[in-house]
């Protein structure tokens, strides 16, 4: 039986290209499971190509790796680490069409908690990163002490007491008991003097306070189920500002009461503001942190919301007006 000759010079249909993920992993984060094996297996089962693996370095905690992943044209970039790794990767993905996936390996994992990404189920987090619902969220640009270049945060940034607490957390204790180590640092640093601080909301006339801490928030939840910025939404184009001003012997009790009242009341121990931008000046340099990373000291910071600048993967089933269409199969 003769075979039909093939037509010459005609293009053949190319096989559809497999989607590919880049995984930017912090190698210092120790886990009880083989993360690489889990990701490789999930990619195979979902019909994705073998992932691109990139490790962070002490000198570069993720930004250069994220730029490389974008140059490779991957379909999703998965940040495998703590909130610091997530923040650095997101800084490069913001404003692009490449989504961010989260594989929480840190202590706080604050962004993952706010988006209901599994923090104790690596396999579930990987599946979410590959095939979850896509959503746009805000990022907040920050300039410190008149720096030329800005940085970003996704959850919160703080000047004062909260940053001191982050910087003074015992690393060995954190490895043993997790986020409870922050409680230890918080208690040890309760003593201290308020600092004269000025805050301008949306370019308005600065208000003056004597504060232990001023924080900017993009979303509300932190570890332990505590909601520091009640009602804050990660996609509303607004920045939430919270101040803490303990006074006298019962000062911190008044702060706790203010947090429980969610800022409602006549006292100034805790105050909340909402805005699109804020500028903060302190008379004395204060410790500064973003998304849980202690970043030194500062006396002047400015914050500006970039609405829905980052595409991110999150679990199915969360009702939200900012949910985008599902990723193409």
């Amino acid at each position: 039986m003769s075979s039909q000759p093939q037509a010459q010079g005609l293009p053949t249909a190319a096989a559809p290209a497999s989607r590919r993920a880049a995984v930017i992993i912090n190698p210092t984060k120790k886990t009880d499971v083989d993360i690489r094996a889990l990701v490789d297996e999930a990619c195979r089962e979902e019909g994705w190509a073998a992932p691109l693996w990139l490790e962070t370095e002490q000198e570069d905690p993720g930004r250069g790796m994220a730029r490389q992943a974008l140059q490779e044209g991957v379909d999703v970039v998965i940040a495998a680490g703590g909130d610091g790794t997530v923040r650095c990767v997101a800084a490069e993905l913001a404003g692009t069409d490449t989504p961010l996936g989260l594989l929480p390996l840190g202590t706080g994992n604050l962004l993952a908690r706010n988006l209901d990404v599994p923090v104790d189920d690596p396999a579930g987090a990987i599946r979410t990163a590959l095939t979850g619902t896509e959503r746009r969220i805000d990022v907040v640009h920050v300039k410190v002490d008149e720096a030329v270049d800005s940085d970003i945060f996704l959850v919160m940034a703080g000047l004062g007491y909260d940053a001191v607490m982050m910087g003074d957390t015992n690393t060995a204790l954190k490895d043993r008991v997790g986020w409870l180590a922050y409680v230890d640092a918080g208690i040890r640093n309760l003593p201290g003097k308020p600092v004269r601080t000025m805050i301008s909301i949306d370019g308005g006339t600065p208000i003056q306070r004597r504060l232990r801490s001023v924080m900017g928030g993009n979303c509300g939840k932190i570890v332990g189920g505590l909601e520091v910025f009640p009602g804050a939404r990660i996609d509303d184009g607004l920045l939430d500002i919270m101040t803490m001003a303990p006074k006298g012997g019962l000062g911190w009790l008044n702060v706790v009461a203010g947090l429980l009242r969610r800022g409602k009341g006549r006292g100034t121990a805790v105050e909340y503001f909402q805005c699109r931008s804020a500028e903060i000046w302190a008379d004395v340099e204060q410790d500064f942190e973003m998304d849980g990373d202690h970043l030194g000291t500062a006396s002047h910071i400015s914050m500006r919301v970039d609405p829905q600048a980052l595409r991110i993967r999150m679990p199915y089933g969360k009702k939200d007006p900012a949910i985008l269409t599902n990723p193409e199969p």
Side-chain angles (χ1 to χ4, degrees), residues 33-61:
V33 296
D34 187 336
I35 294 297
R36 289 178 180 260
L38 284 178
V39 174
D40 289 342
E41 179 184 13
C43 287
R44 284 194 303 270
E45 292 181 354
E46 296 295 338
W48 289 53
L52 170 65
W53 287 94
L54 301 167
E55 288 191 357
T56 65
E57 302 168 355
Q58 185 174 358
E59 298 78 15
D60 184 349

PDB file of all heavy atoms in Angstrom, residues 33-61:
ATOM      1  N   VAL A  33       9.881  19.792  53.910  1.00  0.00           N
ATOM      2  CA  VAL A  33       9.557  19.095  52.671  1.00  0.00           C
ATOM      3  C   VAL A  33      10.519  19.547  51.584  1.00  0.00           C
ATOM      4  O   VAL A  33      11.189  20.579  51.700  1.00  0.00           O
ATOM      5  CB  VAL A  33       8.097  19.380  52.242  1.00  0.00           C
ATOM      6  CG1 VAL A  33       7.126  18.832  53.267  1.00  0.00           C
ATOM      7  CG2 VAL A  33       7.878  20.868  52.029  1.00  0.00           C
ATOM      8  N   ASP A  34      10.581  18.770  50.519  1.00  0.00           N
ATOM      9  CA  ASP A  34      11.442  19.086  49.379  1.00  0.00           C
ATOM     10  C   ASP A  34      10.657  20.022  48.448  1.00  0.00           C
ATOM     11  O   ASP A  34       9.833  19.576  47.650  1.00  0.00           O
ATOM     12  CB  ASP A  34      11.833  17.798  48.654  1.00  0.00           C
ATOM     13  CG  ASP A  34      12.873  18.031  47.567  1.00  0.00           C
ATOM     14  OD1 ASP A  34      12.961  19.170  47.066  1.00  0.00           O
ATOM     15  OD2 ASP A  34      13.580  17.074  47.209  1.00  0.00           O
ATOM     16  N   ILE A  35      10.916  21.330  48.585  1.00  0.00           N
ATOM     17  CA  ILE A  35      10.162  22.316  47.830  1.00  0.00           C
ATOM     18  C   ILE A  35      10.362  22.129  46.321  1.00  0.00           C
ATOM     19  O   ILE A  35       9.407  22.196  45.537  1.00  0.00           O
ATOM     20  CB  ILE A  35      10.569  23.740  48.249  1.00  0.00           C
ATOM     21  CG1 ILE A  35      10.143  23.998  49.703  1.00  0.00           C
ATOM     22  CG2 ILE A  35       9.938  24.781  47.327  1.00  0.00           C
ATOM     23  CD1 ILE A  35       8.660  23.942  49.945  1.00  0.00           C
ATOM     24  N   ARG A  36      11.589  21.879  45.911  1.00  0.00           N
ATOM     25  CA  ARG A  36      11.856  21.719  44.482  1.00  0.00           C
ATOM     26  C   ARG A  36      11.081  20.535  43.904  1.00  0.00           C
ATOM     27  O   ARG A  36      10.520  20.619  42.813  1.00  0.00           O
ATOM     28  CB  ARG A  36      13.358  21.558  44.234  1.00  0.00           C
ATOM     29  CG  ARG A  36      14.145  22.848  44.458  1.00  0.00           C
ATOM     30  CD  ARG A  36      15.636  22.636  44.245  1.00  0.00           C
ATOM     31  NE  ARG A  36      16.379  23.867  44.468  1.00  0.00           N
ATOM     32  CZ  ARG A  36      16.806  24.676  43.510  1.00  0.00           C
ATOM     33  NH1 ARG A  36      16.546  24.386  42.245  1.00  0.00           N
ATOM     34  NH2 ARG A  36      17.478  25.774  43.792  1.00  0.00           N
ATOM     35  N   ALA A  37      11.044  19.435  44.643  1.00  0.00           N
ATOM     36  CA  ALA A  37      10.312  18.265  44.161  1.00  0.00           C
ATOM     37  C   ALA A  37       8.820  18.563  44.057  1.00  0.00           C
ATOM     38  O   ALA A  37       8.155  18.154  43.089  1.00  0.00           O
ATOM     39  CB  ALA A  37      10.560  17.075  45.093  1.00  0.00           C
ATOM     40  N   LEU A  38       8.267  19.288  45.044  1.00  0.00           N
ATOM     41  CA  LEU A  38       6.844  19.632  45.008  1.00  0.00           C
ATOM     42  C   LEU A  38       6.512  20.506  43.810  1.00  0.00           C
ATOM     43  O   LEU A  38       5.497  20.289  43.128  1.00  0.00           O
ATOM     44  CB  LEU A  38       6.451  20.359  46.298  1.00  0.00           C
ATOM     45  CG  LEU A  38       6.285  19.530  47.571  1.00  0.00           C
ATOM     46  CD1 LEU A  38       5.941  20.444  48.744  1.00  0.00           C
ATOM     47  CD2 LEU A  38       5.203  18.471  47.392  1.00  0.00           C
ATOM     48  N   VAL A  39       7.347  21.511  43.548  1.00  0.00           N
ATOM     49  CA  VAL A  39       7.086  22.403  42.419  1.00  0.00           C
ATOM     50  C   VAL A  39       7.222  21.651  41.103  1.00  0.00           C
ATOM     51  O   VAL A  39       6.371  21.777  40.205  1.00  0.00           O
ATOM     52  CB  VAL A  39       8.035  23.617  42.453  1.00  0.00           C
ATOM     53  CG1 VAL A  39       7.865  24.465  41.191  1.00  0.00           C
ATOM     54  CG2 VAL A  39       7.778  24.465  43.690  1.00  0.00           C
ATOM     55  N   ASP A  40       8.289  20.866  40.970  1.00  0.00           N
ATOM     56  CA  ASP A  40       8.491  20.107  39.727  1.00  0.00           C
ATOM     57  C   ASP A  40       7.308  19.181  39.458  1.00  0.00           C
ATOM     58  O   ASP A  40       6.815  19.066  38.325  1.00  0.00           O
ATOM     59  CB  ASP A  40       9.786  19.297  39.811  1.00  0.00           C
ATOM     60  CG  ASP A  40      11.036  20.178  39.758  1.00  0.00           C
ATOM     61  OD1 ASP A  40      10.914  21.340  39.327  1.00  0.00           O
ATOM     62  OD2 ASP A  40      12.117  19.696  40.153  1.00  0.00           O
ATOM     63  N   GLU A  41       6.830  18.508  40.499  1.00  0.00           N
ATOM     64  CA  GLU A  41       5.707  17.582  40.348  1.00  0.00           C
ATOM     65  C   GLU A  41       4.436  18.329  39.944  1.00  0.00           C
ATOM     66  O   GLU A  41       3.706  17.889  39.042  1.00  0.00           O
ATOM     67  CB  GLU A  41       5.480  16.822  41.648  1.00  0.00           C
ATOM     68  CG  GLU A  41       4.303  15.848  41.595  1.00  0.00           C
ATOM     69  CD  GLU A  41       4.044  15.176  42.932  1.00  0.00           C
ATOM     70  OE1 GLU A  41       4.594  15.623  43.948  1.00  0.00           O
ATOM     71  OE2 GLU A  41       3.262  14.208  42.948  1.00  0.00           O
ATOM     72  N   ALA A  42       4.164  19.455  40.591  1.00  0.00           N
ATOM     73  CA  ALA A  42       2.962  20.221  40.262  1.00  0.00           C
ATOM     74  C   ALA A  42       3.010  20.726  38.822  1.00  0.00           C
ATOM     75  O   ALA A  42       1.999  20.696  38.108  1.00  0.00           O
ATOM     76  CB  ALA A  42       2.806  21.386  41.228  1.00  0.00           C
ATOM     77  N   CYS A  43       4.177  21.179  38.387  1.00  0.00           N
ATOM     78  CA  CYS A  43       4.302  21.658  37.004  1.00  0.00           C
ATOM     79  C   CYS A  43       4.044  20.526  36.013  1.00  0.00           C
ATOM     80  O   CYS A  43       3.348  20.713  35.006  1.00  0.00           O
ATOM     81  CB  CYS A  43       5.686  22.274  36.785  1.00  0.00           C
ATOM     82  SG  CYS A  43       5.917  23.883  37.579  1.00  0.00           S
ATOM     83  N   ARG A  44       4.603  19.353  36.275  1.00  0.00           N
ATOM     84  CA  ARG A  44       4.365  18.212  35.378  1.00  0.00           C
ATOM     85  C   ARG A  44       2.886  17.863  35.316  1.00  0.00           C
ATOM     86  O   ARG A  44       2.320  17.655  34.233  1.00  0.00           O
ATOM     87  CB  ARG A  44       5.166  16.990  35.854  1.00  0.00           C
ATOM     88  CG  ARG A  44       6.641  17.050  35.554  1.00  0.00           C
ATOM     89  CD  ARG A  44       7.280  15.673  35.731  1.00  0.00           C
ATOM     90  NE  ARG A  44       7.051  15.138  37.078  1.00  0.00           N
ATOM     91  CZ  ARG A  44       7.865  15.333  38.101  1.00  0.00           C
ATOM     92  NH1 ARG A  44       8.954  16.083  37.949  1.00  0.00           N
ATOM     93  NH2 ARG A  44       7.601  14.795  39.284  1.00  0.00           N
ATOM     94  N   GLU A  45       2.251  17.789  36.487  1.00  0.00           N
ATOM     95  CA  GLU A  45       0.844  17.385  36.521  1.00  0.00           C
ATOM     96  C   GLU A  45      -0.066  18.411  35.859  1.00  0.00           C
ATOM     97  O   GLU A  45      -1.125  18.056  35.323  1.00  0.00           O
ATOM     98  CB  GLU A  45       0.417  17.157  37.968  1.00  0.00           C
ATOM     99  CG  GLU A  45       1.086  15.936  38.594  1.00  0.00           C
ATOM    100  CD  GLU A  45       0.638  15.697  40.021  1.00  0.00           C
ATOM    101  OE1 GLU A  45      -0.112  16.549  40.559  1.00  0.00           O
ATOM    102  OE2 GLU A  45       1.037  14.666  40.606  1.00  0.00           O
ATOM    103  N   GLU A  46       0.302  19.681  35.892  1.00  0.00           N
ATOM    104  CA  GLU A  46      -0.521  20.721  35.279  1.00  0.00           C
ATOM    105  C   GLU A  46      -0.149  20.972  33.826  1.00  0.00           C
ATOM    106  O   GLU A  46      -0.744  21.832  33.166  1.00  0.00           O
ATOM    107  CB  GLU A  46      -0.389  22.028  36.071  1.00  0.00           C
ATOM    108  CG  GLU A  46      -0.913  21.959  37.493  1.00  0.00           C
ATOM    109  CD  GLU A  46      -2.416  21.724  37.557  1.00  0.00           C
ATOM    110  OE1 GLU A  46      -3.105  22.030  36.557  1.00  0.00           O
ATOM    111  OE2 GLU A  46      -2.899  21.235  38.597  1.00  0.00           O
ATOM    112  N   GLY A  47       0.835  20.229  33.303  1.00  0.00           N
ATOM    113  CA  GLY A  47       1.225  20.383  31.914  1.00  0.00           C
ATOM    114  C   GLY A  47       2.123  21.582  31.655  1.00  0.00           C
ATOM    115  O   GLY A  47       2.204  22.060  30.516  1.00  0.00           O
ATOM    116  N   TRP A  48       2.796  22.061  32.704  1.00  0.00           N
ATOM    117  CA  TRP A  48       3.726  23.177  32.554  1.00  0.00           C
ATOM    118  C   TRP A  48       5.122  22.640  32.261  1.00  0.00           C
ATOM    119  O   TRP A  48       5.458  21.503  32.592  1.00  0.00           O
ATOM    120  CB  TRP A  48       3.769  24.009  33.841  1.00  0.00           C
ATOM    121  CG  TRP A  48       2.533  24.822  34.102  1.00  0.00           C
ATOM    122  CD1 TRP A  48       1.243  24.383  34.141  1.00  0.00           C
ATOM    123  CD2 TRP A  48       2.483  26.221  34.386  1.00  0.00           C
ATOM    124  NE1 TRP A  48       0.383  25.409  34.430  1.00  0.00           N
ATOM    125  CE2 TRP A  48       1.127  26.558  34.589  1.00  0.00           C
ATOM    126  CE3 TRP A  48       3.448  27.209  34.511  1.00  0.00           C
ATOM    127  CZ2 TRP A  48       0.709  27.850  34.886  1.00  0.00           C
ATOM    128  CZ3 TRP A  48       3.048  28.508  34.812  1.00  0.00           C
ATOM    129  CH2 TRP A  48       1.686  28.825  34.993  1.00  0.00           C
ATOM    130  N   ALA A  49       5.940  23.485  31.632  1.00  0.00           N
ATOM    131  CA  ALA A  49       7.335  23.137  31.402  1.00  0.00           C
ATOM    132  C   ALA A  49       8.086  23.112  32.727  1.00  0.00           C
ATOM    133  O   ALA A  49       7.599  23.603  33.750  1.00  0.00           O
ATOM    134  CB  ALA A  49       7.969  24.144  30.449  1.00  0.00           C
ATOM    135  N   ALA A  50       9.286  22.541  32.700  1.00  0.00           N
ATOM    136  CA  ALA A  50      10.123  22.529  33.910  1.00  0.00           C
ATOM    137  C   ALA A  50      10.383  23.971  34.339  1.00  0.00           C
ATOM    138  O   ALA A  50      10.683  24.836  33.515  1.00  0.00           O
ATOM    139  CB  ALA A  50      11.436  21.820  33.631  1.00  0.00           C
ATOM    140  N   PRO A  51      10.255  24.275  35.629  1.00  0.00           N
ATOM    141  CA  PRO A  51      10.379  25.662  36.091  1.00  0.00           C
ATOM    142  C   PRO A  51      11.812  26.180  35.997  1.00  0.00           C
ATOM    143  O   PRO A  51      12.777  25.415  36.015  1.00  0.00           O
ATOM    144  CB  PRO A  51       9.910  25.609  37.541  1.00  0.00           C
ATOM    145  CG  PRO A  51      10.167  24.193  37.959  1.00  0.00           C
ATOM    146  CD  PRO A  51       9.943  23.348  36.743  1.00  0.00           C
ATOM    147  N   LEU A  52      11.918  27.484  35.943  1.00  0.00           N
ATOM    148  CA  LEU A  52      13.202  28.174  36.031  1.00  0.00           C
ATOM    149  C   LEU A  52      13.471  28.454  37.508  1.00  0.00           C
ATOM    150  O   LEU A  52      12.680  29.123  38.167  1.00  0.00           O
ATOM    151  CB  LEU A  52      13.145  29.480  35.247  1.00  0.00           C
ATOM    152  CG  LEU A  52      14.321  30.455  35.405  1.00  0.00           C
ATOM    153  CD1 LEU A  52      15.601  29.848  34.841  1.00  0.00           C
ATOM    154  CD2 LEU A  52      14.001  31.792  34.741  1.00  0.00           C
ATOM    155  N   TRP A  53      14.581  27.934  38.032  1.00  0.00           N
ATOM    156  CA  TRP A  53      14.913  28.113  39.447  1.00  0.00           C
ATOM    157  C   TRP A  53      15.970  29.195  39.600  1.00  0.00           C
ATOM    158  O   TRP A  53      17.019  29.157  38.941  1.00  0.00           O
ATOM    159  CB  TRP A  53      15.435  26.801  40.054  1.00  0.00           C
ATOM    160  CG  TRP A  53      14.358  25.784  40.255  1.00  0.00           C
ATOM    161  CD1 TRP A  53      14.000  24.792  39.408  1.00  0.00           C
ATOM    162  CD2 TRP A  53      13.494  25.688  41.392  1.00  0.00           C
ATOM    163  NE1 TRP A  53      12.957  24.069  39.929  1.00  0.00           N
ATOM    164  CE2 TRP A  53      12.622  24.593  41.142  1.00  0.00           C
ATOM    165  CE3 TRP A  53      13.355  26.399  42.572  1.00  0.00           C
ATOM    166  CZ2 TRP A  53      11.647  24.204  42.052  1.00  0.00           C
ATOM    167  CZ3 TRP A  53      12.386  26.018  43.482  1.00  0.00           C
ATOM    168  CH2 TRP A  53      11.534  24.930  43.223  1.00  0.00           C
ATOM    169  N   LEU A  54      15.701  30.157  40.471  1.00  0.00           N
ATOM    170  CA  LEU A  54      16.625  31.251  40.733  1.00  0.00           C
ATOM    171  C   LEU A  54      16.722  31.442  42.241  1.00  0.00           C
ATOM    172  O   LEU A  54      15.694  31.568  42.916  1.00  0.00           O
ATOM    173  CB  LEU A  54      16.139  32.551  40.075  1.00  0.00           C
ATOM    174  CG  LEU A  54      15.962  32.520  38.561  1.00  0.00           C
ATOM    175  CD1 LEU A  54      15.177  33.747  38.092  1.00  0.00           C
ATOM    176  CD2 LEU A  54      17.315  32.462  37.866  1.00  0.00           C
ATOM    177  N   GLU A  55      17.940  31.462  42.777  1.00  0.00           N
ATOM    178  CA  GLU A  55      18.132  31.627  44.219  1.00  0.00           C
ATOM    179  C   GLU A  55      18.497  33.068  44.548  1.00  0.00           C
ATOM    180  O   GLU A  55      19.291  33.691  43.851  1.00  0.00           O
ATOM    181  CB  GLU A  55      19.243  30.694  44.721  1.00  0.00           C
ATOM    182  CG  GLU A  55      18.858  29.229  44.747  1.00  0.00           C
ATOM    183  CD  GLU A  55      19.877  28.376  45.498  1.00  0.00           C
ATOM    184  OE1 GLU A  55      20.912  28.943  45.942  1.00  0.00           O
ATOM    185  OE2 GLU A  55      19.631  27.170  45.650  1.00  0.00           O
ATOM    186  N   THR A  56      17.912  33.563  45.632  1.00  0.00           N
ATOM    187  CA  THR A  56      18.284  34.897  46.100  1.00  0.00           C
ATOM    188  C   THR A  56      19.678  34.858  46.724  1.00  0.00           C
ATOM    189  O   THR A  56      20.192  33.787  47.051  1.00  0.00           O
ATOM    190  CB  THR A  56      17.274  35.430  47.134  1.00  0.00           C
ATOM    191  OG1 THR A  56      17.328  34.608  48.310  1.00  0.00           O
ATOM    192  CG2 THR A  56      15.866  35.424  46.564  1.00  0.00           C
ATOM    193  N   GLU A  57      20.270  36.026  46.869  1.00  0.00           N
ATOM    194  CA  GLU A  57      21.602  36.137  47.452  1.00  0.00           C
ATOM    195  C   GLU A  57      21.573  37.204  48.539  1.00  0.00           C
ATOM    196  O   GLU A  57      20.652  38.032  48.577  1.00  0.00           O
ATOM    197  CB  GLU A  57      22.619  36.520  46.373  1.00  0.00           C
ATOM    198  CG  GLU A  57      22.673  35.537  45.213  1.00  0.00           C
ATOM    199  CD  GLU A  57      23.471  36.077  44.039  1.00  0.00           C
ATOM    200  OE1 GLU A  57      23.889  37.265  44.102  1.00  0.00           O
ATOM    201  OE2 GLU A  57      23.663  35.331  43.066  1.00  0.00           O
ATOM    202  N   GLN A  58      22.564  37.199  49.389  1.00  0.00           N
ATOM    203  CA  GLN A  58      22.614  38.196  50.454  1.00  0.00           C
ATOM    204  C   GLN A  58      22.666  39.602  49.874  1.00  0.00           C
ATOM    205  O   GLN A  58      22.041  40.528  50.398  1.00  0.00           O
ATOM    206  CB  GLN A  58      23.827  37.950  51.357  1.00  0.00           C
ATOM    207  CG  GLN A  58      23.885  38.877  52.568  1.00  0.00           C
ATOM    208  CD  GLN A  58      25.000  38.515  53.520  1.00  0.00           C
ATOM    209  OE1 GLN A  58      25.728  37.537  53.305  1.00  0.00           O
ATOM    210  NE2 GLN A  58      25.155  39.285  54.583  1.00  0.00           N
ATOM    211  N   GLU A  59      23.409  39.770  48.776  1.00  0.00           N
ATOM    212  CA  GLU A  59      23.540  41.091  48.156  1.00  0.00           C
ATOM    213  C   GLU A  59      22.314  41.450  47.321  1.00  0.00           C
ATOM    214  O   GLU A  59      22.095  42.625  47.008  1.00  0.00           O
ATOM    215  CB  GLU A  59      24.785  41.137  47.273  1.00  0.00           C
ATOM    216  CG  GLU A  59      26.101  40.919  48.008  1.00  0.00           C
ATOM    217  CD  GLU A  59      26.360  39.443  48.334  1.00  0.00           C
ATOM    218  OE1 GLU A  59      25.673  38.573  47.749  1.00  0.00           O
ATOM    219  OE2 GLU A  59      27.224  39.177  49.188  1.00  0.00           O
ATOM    220  N   ASP A  60      21.539  40.470  46.918  1.00  0.00           N
ATOM    221  CA  ASP A  60      20.349  40.704  46.097  1.00  0.00           C
ATOM    222  C   ASP A  60      19.243  39.769  46.558  1.00  0.00           C
ATOM    223  O   ASP A  60      19.212  38.589  46.186  1.00  0.00           O
ATOM    224  CB  ASP A  60      20.654  40.465  44.618  1.00  0.00           C
ATOM    225  CG  ASP A  60      19.471  40.799  43.716  1.00  0.00           C
ATOM    226  OD1 ASP A  60      18.349  41.024  44.236  1.00  0.00           O
ATOM    227  OD2 ASP A  60      19.649  40.835  42.483  1.00  0.00           O
ATOM    228  N   PRO A  61      18.307  40.259  47.376  1.00  0.00           N
ATOM    229  CA  PRO A  61      17.266  39.393  47.927  1.00  0.00           C
ATOM    230  C   PRO A  61      16.096  39.118  46.988  1.00  0.00           C
ATOM    231  O   PRO A  61      15.058  38.633  47.433  1.00  0.00           O
ATOM    232  CB  PRO A  61      16.800  40.164  49.159  1.00  0.00           C
ATOM    233  CG  PRO A  61      17.096  41.590  48.866  1.00  0.00           C
ATOM    234  CD  PRO A  61      18.310  41.603  47.989  1.00  0.00           C
TER     235      PRO A  61
END
